[in-house]
Amino acid sequence: MEAFVVIAEFRVRPECLAEFLNAARDDAAHSVADEPGCRQFDVVQPEGEGGTVVFYEVYDSRAAFDAHLETPHLARFRAAFPPLILEERPVRFLHRHHP
């Protein structure tokens, strides 16, 4: 079954990493638990890039992702993260064909 994938990437201030990860985990946990169209929401860090955090999000469709944009947990995250980061990189949208 095809899926809609979102990749968001942030460069986080080193002294704010723990706080950023707490806010990210809240958003991810609520996305998976509270949104029927959210299949997966991983919060990961590339090896050797301690200040970079990547979200790998999988939704049933673009409409399911658009519903995510209206959720209280995303509003909390959006309010929390700006002072914690150095850069928010452009969000990428992909279509997953397997699995």
Side-chain angles (χ1 to χ4, degrees):
M1 180 183 201
E2 196 171 310
F4 186 74
V5 175
V6 177
I7 298 176
E9 189 170 339
F10 305 87
R11 284 187 46 236
V12 181
R13 296 178 186 282
E15 68 277 12
C16 299
L17 184 60
E19 188 176 353
F20 180 88
L21 289 173
N22 284 337
R25 282 190 285 264
D26 175 70
D27 185 34
H30 281 284
S31 295
V32 173
D34 301 343
E35 298 176 42
C38 182
R39 298 184 197 175
Q40 179 178 342
F41 193 131
D42 297 340
V43 178
V44 298
Q45 289 186 269
E47 271 190 36
E49 296 181 44
T52 300
V53 177
V54 179
F55 295 176
Y56 179 84
E57 309 169 44
V58 181
Y59 297 88
D60 288 339
S61 63
R62 175 64 192 236
F65 172 71
D66 289 344
H68 167 73
L69 297 176
E70 303 302 321
T71 60
H73 51 270
L74 181 59
R76 279 194 308 273
F77 178 72
R78 283 183 168 163
F81 86 80
L84 307 176
I85 66 167
L86 298 168
E87 176 188 12
E88 180 180 7
R89 296 187 175 141
V91 174
R92 292 179 281 164
F93 302 105
L94 303 92
H95 291 277
R96 187 174 80 181
H97 301 283
H98 181 80

